[in-house]
Amino acid sequence: MKILIKNGHVIDPSQNIDGVKDILINGKKIQGIFSKGKSPSADKTIDAAGCIVIPGLVDMHTHLREPGYEYKETIKTGTMAAVKGGFTTVCCMPNTDPINDTISVTEFILKKAAEEGSCAVYPIAAITKGEKGEAMTELEALIKAGSIAFSDDGKPVMNSLIMRRALEYSKIFDVPVISHCEDLNLSEGGVMNEGIVSTLLGLKGIPKAAEEVMVARDISLSELTGGKLHIAHVSTEGSVRLIREAKTRGVNVTAETCPHYFSLTDDSLKGYDTNFKVNPPLRTDKDVSAIKLGIKDGTIDVIATDHAPHHYDDKNREFDTAAFGISGLETAFALGLKLVEDKVIDLNTLIARMTIAPSKIMGISKGTLKKDADADIAIIDMKKKFTVDAGKFLSKGKNSAFNGWKLKGVVLKTIAMGKVYEWE
Amino acid sequence: MPRDILNSKEIKKTITRITHEIIEKNKDIDNVCLVGIQRGGVLLAKKLASELEAAISRNIEVGSLDIALYRDDIYIKEEQPIVRSTDIPFSITDKTVLLVDDVLFTGRSIRAAMDALVDFGRPARIQLAVLIDRGHRELPIRPDYVGKNIPTSFNDRVEVNIDEEDSSEDSVKII
Amino acid sequence: MLESKDLLGIKELRADDIYHLLETSDGFMDVLRRDIKKVPPLRGKTVVSLFYEPSTRTRTSFTLAAKRLSADIVNFSLSSSSVVKGESIQDTALTIQSLGADFVIIRHASSGVPHSLSRLLNISVINAGDGANEHPTQALLDLFTIRAHKKKIEGLTVAIIGDIAHSRVAKSNIYGLTKLGANVRVICPPTLMPAEINQLGVEVHHSIEDGIRKADVVMTLRLQLERQSKGFLPSLKEYFNLYGLTSERLKLAKKDAIVMHPGPMNRGVEIASDVADGLQSVILEQVTNGIAVRMAVLYLLSGVKE
C-alpha cells in the first residue's frame, strides 16, 4: 500500500533535509521525499500540515523486562509505549530473567517482538554470563542469533581485566560495548546523589565519583584496546568532562544521557517520592548544565530513555527498598523539545541525537528517511500542549518522574515499518 | 459599652470582707489552705492569703492550680488550652481547701479544679471563694464566699485586672 | 499552635512551635512531680506504637507519657529486615487506623517512612526515629534540658560529638539548635561527617580539642560498634583516643558546661565513665524530661484540627 504524507515539515538530519516536503511510503519502505506538489499518487494520504515529520525515534537503551518480569512490562506493552512516544526502534537491555546471555533468550525476544511487538526490537546481549562479571559470553553466537551490542546494564563489569578482554574481543565484530559506569563499592547502599539533599533527607548517597572512576577506567581501557566503548546514562559534570577530553584525543568512545538527567535535580527527592529514585541518581544543577552543554557540543552523542518500568508494588514502599527506575518512553521527546525551546540545542540536533546518532553507534540502518529505508516515521505537533498523566501510559510502568508536567510536543501518528498508529 | 463594676478601692474592701467571712466560717482556721485557679485566681489567692495572715498572725499555705488538662471542652474549643504551672507544695489531705477564682460563670472550671484536687490528695472539705459571680451556672456549683453578684448576659465578657504590686489600677469591668 | 497533625521532624517546625512545645512541657513536668502522676486530657484516646527497630527507652518513654495522659496504648514490635518480608508498612498502618487508633508512633530504619504514613493516614503520626533522618522528640527533650540549665538557647555554643552521618539525633538537634539561634559545632572523623553539612549552618571540626573549646553544652552520641567493621574507623580504641569525651577534654569547655547523651552509652568508646557519672552530666535528667516532652507532644497534637 502506498501512503503519502504531505505538507509536513520534514526534518532528516541524516540527509540534511529541513523543509516542507512530501514523503511517499510504499509498503514497508520509504519510496522517496518529494517537493510540494511533485509527489506521485498514493492509496492513502496523511495531511501533516503544522507538524514535523521526522525519522521514527531510535532508543538504544530500553528495558522491556521480558522474559521474566512480565508483571512490570512485556515486549508487547513496551513497544506500544515506544510507538506512542514516537519511537520505531528500541534496543532492549539483557537484565531479564533469564539474562540474555544465550542464543535461546535472544531468539525468544526476537520471536516475541515479531509476533507481538509494535516496532523494531534489537536485543542487546550481556557481556558476561549471568551479568556476573566473571566470564565472557559467546559474542559470535549471540550476534548470529540477532543481538547487536553488549552490556551488563544494571551493573558494571567491576573486574577491569574482564572489561579489557571484552573490549578487545568485541573488535572482531565491531560492536559497541555499552558500559553502565558505577563502582559498586563506592555506591554500596546508596539510594540518591550524595550531597546536601541526601544529608537533609537522611538517605545514603551515591557520590558522583562512583560513576566518574568507572568512566575514567573504561576510557583508559578503550584507549588501551581500541574497543568501541559507549557510556550509558551519563549523569555527572565530571563524566562529561572526561568524555569530552577523551574524544579530543581520538578515543573510540561515545556516550548517551537520558531526559531526567537534563530535566531534574536531587531537589526533587525532598518528599521521598520514589518516582525520582533512579540509578544513576538525579544530580545537581551544575551537572544538569554540564549535560546540556555536552548534548550541545556533541560530547553526548545520544539521548536515550533508559526506560525502566516497574510495578506499583515495587515503587510503593519505603525509599530504601523501592526499585530504581523511571518509565520514560512516552515523555522523552517532549522533554527533549524543552531543550530546543530553552535554546540549548536546535531542533535538528535534538532529532539527530535521537535518530541517526544511536543508529550509527549500534550499526543499524534506522533513523533515516533515505530512499528504501524502513518506513519508520513520527509525525509530531510541536506546539500542542499536554499534561503528563502516567496513569494513562501505555507502558505497564506508571512510574514517571514527570507526572503532572505540562509539556509540548504530541506525537500524532507513528508509522512503524509502514504500519500507521494514530494517537489523536 | 464597657461598664465599670468595681474600682480598686472597692476590690480591696471586698477582699477584706471575704477574709473576715472566711475566719468566721472556719473555726479551725489553722487547717485552711488556699489554692488559686490559673490564671485569674492565682493573684487573688495570694492577696487573700496575705490579708488572712495579717488578721490571724499565722502562715497560710497558698498554691496554684492549672486546670487546662481537666477541662471538659478540650476537643470542642477552637484553640487548645495552654498548659500552665501547677504548684501545690503542701499536702491537702484532711485540710480545708479554699479554691479561689476571679469569676464564677458556668461552673465548669470549678468542676475541673475539684477533679484535679482529688489527684493531689483527699481534702476534708473544699470551699469556694470568687470575686465575681456572674450567673449562668450549667452545673450544680455554688460559691461559699462572693465578692459581688452581677447579672450579665451570656455573651458579655467580664474583665478582672489585678496587679501583683500596684493595686491602684485594679478594676472589674464588663465588656 | 501546631499546624500539622503530625510530628515528622524538627525541620518542619517553626521556632515558635518549638518554644510552645517547651513551655507546654514545663506544665507536664509539674504533673510528673506529683504523687498521682496522671491527668485526663487523652482519656479514651488510643496510641499505638509501631517500632520496626528495637528500642527500650524511647518506647517506654512514650508508653509512660501516653499513660500519664490517661490514653490507652498498644505496642507493636516488628522487624525492619527486608529479609523478613511480611505485611507492608502501609497495610499495617491502615490496619492500625482501622482499629481506631488516634496516634501512631513509628520508628523505622528507612528515612521517609513517617512522611509517607502521614500522607496515607488521617490520624496523627509521630516520628520516633527514621533512618538517619530525624528523631524529633529526642531533640525536643534535649532542648528542654539545655533550657532548664541555661535559661535560653540563643547564643549558646553546643558541641555535638559522634557519628553525625548516621545519627538522626544529631540531625534533629542541629535543626532545633540552629532554629533557636545557637552556635552548633559538629565534631567527628571525616569519614563520619555527612556530605556538605556546613550548608546547615554548623561549624565542622575534626579535632575535639578545637571543637569543644568554651562550649556551653557538650553532646556526645552513641557510636555504633559496627562502624569499625564497615571501614569508617580503623578501631574503636582509636576513636576513643581521638574523640572520646574524657575529663581532660571536658576542661576545655566552659566550667559550667553540661554533658549530654541520648543513651544508651558505650562507656569507654564515646564517653569516659567518670564524665558520664560526673557532676556536669545531665544524662539522667534527659530521661525524665523525655516523658514530659512526649506528653506535651501528644497533648498538643491531639488538639490539631485539620
Side-chain angles (χ1 to χ4, degrees):
Chain A
M1 156 138 114
K2 288 195 183 188
I3 304 176
L4 178 68
I5 304 169
K6 63 177 194 170
N7 301 330
H9 178 170
V10 177
I11 305 178
D12 182 3
S14 73
Q15 300 182 85
N16 271 316
I17 294 179
D18 184 347
V20 178
K21 303 252 184 248
D22 298 342
I23 304 184
L24 184 64
I25 295 172
N26 193 351
K28 293 184 179 172
K29 297 282 182 189
I30 292 180
Q31 185 163 318
I33 298 180
F34 303 91
S35 299
K36 211 170 143 65
K38 301 252 171 67
S39 43
S41 60
D43 306 300
K44 177 182 156 102
T45 307
I46 295 175
D47 185 0
C51 297
I52 52 170
V53 179
I54 63 176
L57 303 172
V58 176
D59 187 12
M60 65 179 285
H61 191 147
T62 298
H63 294 272
L64 293 180
R65 305 293 189 209
E66 190 173 9
Y69 302 106
E70 290 84 356
Y71 73 102
K72 294 180 196 257
E73 187 88 285
T74 59
I75 290 171
K76 180 174 181 180
T77 57
T79 52
M80 264 325 261
V83 291
K84 181 87 179 355
F87 291 88
T88 52
T89 302
V90 296
C91 306
C92 56
M93 283 295 181
N95 56 340
T96 45
D97 181 16
I99 304 247
N100 182 17
D101 59 3
T102 58
I103 61 177
S104 51
V105 180
T106 299
E107 286 171 351
F108 170 84
I109 294 171
L110 288 168
K111 182 164 180 286
K112 267 284 177 157
E115 288 168 0
E116 300 178 356
S118 305
C119 67
V121 174
Y122 291 93
I124 298 169
I127 299 171
T128 64
K129 293 187 182 149
E131 286 196 350
K132 290 210 178 107
E134 290 161 7
M136 229 192 302
T137 53
E138 293 182 310
L139 272 62
E140 193 246 352
L142 288 160
I143 291 170
K144 238 188 170 152
S147 289
I148 61 168
F150 294 86
S151 178
D152 272 6
D153 187 57
K155 296 158 121 177
V157 177
M158 279 299 284
N159 186 328
S160 304
L161 178 59
I162 306 283
M163 187 62 172
R164 174 198 176 154
R165 298 279 179 249
L167 279 165
E168 278 173 328
Y169 194 73
S170 71
K171 282 163 64 177
I172 302 173
F173 316 98
D174 193 28
V175 286
V177 174
I178 302 173
S179 182
H180 167 114
C181 293
E182 178 190 349
D183 183 313
L184 294 177
N185 294 312
L186 287 177
S187 68
E188 191 189 354
V191 296
M192 65 170 287
N193 180 46
E194 183 181 291
I196 182 63
V197 181
S198 68
T199 295
L200 276 170
L201 294 176
L203 292 170
K204 188 145 203 302
I206 299 172
K208 298 179 197 186
E211 176 173 306
E212 290 160 10
V213 302
M214 294 299 261
V215 170
R217 179 201 79 163
D218 288 343
I219 286 173
S220 273
L221 292 177
S222 170
E223 244 180 315
L224 174 64
T225 61
K228 195 168 169 181
L229 171 69
H230 178 82
I231 314 259
H233 44 51
V234 170
S235 76
T236 81
E237 183 187 16
S239 297
V240 175
R241 204 180 324 125
L242 287 163
I243 296 165
R244 182 179 289 124
E245 196 272 329
K247 283 186 172 184
T248 58
R249 281 204 321 276
V251 178
N252 192 359
V253 60
T254 54
E256 81 196 24
T257 192
C258 310
H260 33 279
Y261 300 119
F262 57 73
S263 310
L264 294 167
T265 63
D266 56 3
D267 266 344
S268 302
L269 284 105
K270 291 176 181 171
Y272 299 97
D273 187 343
T274 56
N275 283 321
F276 297 103
K277 183 177 179 184
V278 64
N279 190 20
L282 301 177
R283 306 283 188 185
T284 66
D285 278 322
K286 274 185 12 175
D287 302 289
V288 171
S289 301
I291 301 239
K292 286 181 179 171
L293 203 54
I295 297 173
K296 180 180 170 134
D297 71 12
T299 302
I300 296 177
D301 307 83
V302 170
I303 295 173
T305 67
D306 195 4
H307 174 74
H310 284 292
H311 189 273
Y312 175 77
D313 291 341
D314 293 334
K315 279 288 196 180
N316 187 36
R317 38 199 317 169
E318 57 267 41
F319 201 89
D320 283 333
T321 61
F324 287 93
I326 292 174
S327 173
L329 281 167
E330 293 164 83
T331 47
F333 188 74
L335 289 164
L337 265 188
K338 261 179 133 274
L339 289 177
V340 176
E341 205 177 82
D342 296 339
K343 302 213 192 313
V344 174
I345 52 175
D346 60 31
L347 186 54
N348 227 289
T349 307
L350 173 68
I351 295 167
R353 303 259 182 274
M354 296 180 80
T355 55
I356 191 64
S359 305
K360 283 221 167 100
I361 292 171
M362 295 299 248
I364 52 181
S365 326
K366 293 285 193 180
T368 175
L369 299 173
K370 279 195 166 80
K371 186 172 184 310
D372 295 331
D374 291 328
D376 286 337
I377 298 171
I379 301 172
I380 301 172
D381 182 348
M382 288 208 308
K383 290 184 227 56
K384 190 157 187 190
K385 297 185 189 164
F386 69 103
T387 303
V388 178
D389 183 356
K392 297 217 167 86
F393 277 0
L394 294 184
S395 165
K396 281 191 186 183
K398 314 299 184 199
N399 49 312
S400 170
F402 305 99
N403 204 18
W405 278 44
K406 296 194 184 349
L407 296 173
K408 279 191 225 169
V410 177
V411 178
L412 298 181
K413 292 180 179 48
T414 312
I415 301 170
M417 301 285 274
K419 180 166 178 203
V420 180
Y421 295 89
E422 291 199 23
W423 307 116
E424 309 232 340
Chain B
M1 231 199 58
R3 284 149 46 205
D4 291 327
I5 303 297
L6 290 177
N7 62 30
S8 75
K9 270 217 221 132
E10 289 165 327
I11 292 174
K12 185 146 192 345
K13 269 182 21 189
T14 306
I15 293 178
T16 306
R17 186 202 9 106
I18 293 179
T19 305
H20 286 118
E21 284 178 14
I22 294 169
I23 297 173
E24 204 187 291
K25 189 157 174 178
N26 289 288
K27 299 295 171 229
D28 193 8
I29 192 73
D30 278 341
N31 215 29
V32 171
C33 57
L34 270 59
V35 174
I37 297 175
Q38 288 275 16
R39 282 194 295 179
V42 176
L43 274 180
L44 203 51
K46 287 202 179 119
K47 297 208 172 198
L48 266 174
S50 310
E51 291 242 3
L52 272 171
E53 284 179 344
I56 64 171
S57 302
R58 276 202 278 274
N59 272 336
I60 295 280
E61 288 166 321
V62 192
S64 62
L65 177 65
D66 178 62
I67 55 164
L69 301 172
Y70 293 85
R71 298 180 66 105
D72 61 7
D73 56 358
I74 284 183
Y75 299 108
I76 307 168
K77 277 174 77 72
E78 274 311 307
E79 274 179 24
Q80 206 163 17
I82 297 178
V83 177
R84 295 206 164 83
S85 110
T86 290
D87 188 19
I88 304 181
F90 47 87
S91 168
I92 61 171
T93 297
D94 294 332
K95 297 249 175 73
T96 298
V97 173
L98 178 57
L99 277 175
V100 182
D101 207 357
D102 52 354
V103 179
L104 176 58
F105 186 24
T106 60
R108 293 185 189 272
S109 297
I110 307 302
R111 181 216 59 82
M114 288 199 286
D115 263 359
L117 273 186
V118 154
D119 278 348
F120 280 88
R122 190 180 186 280
R125 65 191 63 79
I126 299 177
Q127 295 175 352
L128 174 62
V130 297
L131 187 61
I132 302 291
D133 181 347
R134 61 173 290 198
H136 298 284
R137 213 79 75 236
E138 291 173 0
L139 297 175
I141 305 267
R142 56 127 188 85
D144 297 279
Y145 314 98
V146 186
K148 192 176 171 89
N149 282 297
I150 45 169
T152 60
S153 73
F154 194 87
N155 293 321
D156 282 336
R157 238 171 37 89
V158 177
E159 191 186 271
V160 176
N161 291 312
I162 298 193
D163 189 272
E164 186 152 18
E165 308 290 333
D166 174 18
S167 58
S168 59
E169 299 290 317
D170 287 354
S171 66
V172 178
K173 296 187 170 79
I174 293 184
I175 302 193
Chain C
M1 254 331 34
L2 293 183
E3 287 195 322
S4 162
K5 66 170 171 74
D6 311 297
L7 178 63
L8 301 177
I10 305 290
K11 275 200 290 298
E12 289 85 352
L13 295 176
R14 300 163 298 184
D16 280 345
D17 295 328
I18 299 176
Y19 282 124
H20 189 48
L21 275 157
L22 297 180
E23 279 151 17
T24 306
S25 304
D26 283 329
F28 285 108
M29 281 302 288
D30 288 338
V31 173
L32 295 180
R33 291 192 196 107
R34 301 182 197 176
D35 267 346
I36 297 183
K37 302 175 188 10
K38 211 168 181 73
V39 285
L42 257 54
R43 204 167 70 93
K45 299 288 171 185
T46 307
V47 178
V48 177
S49 81
L50 190 54
F51 274 57
Y52 284 89
E53 271 184 332
S55 153
T56 320
R57 64 186 57 224
T58 305
R59 212 175 69 195
T60 308
S61 184
F62 266 112
T63 304
L64 286 172
K67 287 186 187 221
R68 303 251 183 276
L69 291 169
S70 302
D72 297 321
I73 177 152
V74 177
N75 293 314
F76 277 56
S77 210
L78 306 120
S79 172
S80 274
S81 165
S82 54
V83 175
V84 182
K85 266 187 75 157
E87 196 182 32
S88 76
I89 300 172
Q90 309 228 338
D91 286 335
T92 306
L94 286 168
T95 303
I96 289 173
Q97 184 173 263
S98 301
L99 287 171
D102 300 286
F103 296 87
V104 63
I105 301 173
I106 172 111
R107 169 174 281 198
H108 198 283
S110 284
S111 308
V113 167
H115 304 68
S116 54
L117 288 190
S118 81
R119 289 189 286 261
L120 178 71
L121 304 174
N122 301 321
I123 61 179
S124 291
V125 176
I126 298 177
N127 183 5
D130 66 326
N133 181 37
E134 289 222 46
H135 190 355
T137 57
Q138 179 70 44
L140 287 170
L141 75 88
D142 288 340
L143 289 169
F144 184 85
T145 308
I146 295 172
R147 175 176 162 274
H149 283 271
K150 303 288 179 184
K151 303 293 173 273
K152 64 171 179 49
I153 312 255
E154 196 185 345
L156 289 182
T157 297
V158 179
I160 305 179
I161 312 164
D163 184 355
I164 312 284
H166 300 93
S167 171
R168 50 192 174 219
V169 172
K171 304 285 229 6
S172 289
N173 268 300
I174 289 171
Y175 302 135
L177 288 162
T178 51
K179 271 188 214 262
L180 299 189
N183 303 318
V184 179
R185 298 187 192 146
V186 289
I187 306 169
C188 67
T191 47
L192 295 176
M193 196 65 83
E196 301 180 344
I197 190 152
N198 54 310
Q199 291 189 32
L200 293 181
V202 304
E203 272 177 44
V204 172
H205 290 267
H206 299 305
S207 148
I208 190 177
E209 284 80 12
D210 287 344
I212 205 177
R213 206 173 301 275
K214 300 241 190 313
D216 297 287
V217 177
V218 181
M219 205 184 274
T220 49
L221 302 171
R222 199 172 125 68
L223 182 75
Q224 266 173 301
L225 304 180
E226 60 177 50
R227 297 296 165 226
Q228 176 188 344
S229 58
K230 288 280 173 83
F232 288 97
L233 306 163
S235 70
L236 296 179
K237 189 169 68 125
E238 188 147 309
Y239 181 82
F240 183 73
N241 289 344
L242 285 168
Y243 297 96
L245 184 63
T246 58
S247 35
E248 285 72 58
R249 288 186 171 138
L250 186 54
K251 289 198 184 105
L252 296 169
K254 287 205 180 130
K255 276 210 331 229
D256 60 351
I258 54 175
V259 172
M260 303 176 67
H261 193 302
M265 292 185 281
N266 287 319
R267 288 166 181 265
V269 177
E270 65 256 10
I271 187 169
S273 272
D274 57 340
V275 175
D277 302 326
L279 293 170
Q280 288 169 267
S281 160
V282 300
I283 294 171
L284 291 173
E285 280 173 48
Q286 287 173 270
V287 177
T288 312
N289 295 341
I291 301 183
V293 166
R294 290 176 171 123
M295 287 172 79
V297 168
L298 285 166
Y299 174 73
L300 288 174
L301 286 181
S302 72
V304 175
K305 294 166 192 15
E306 292 216 327

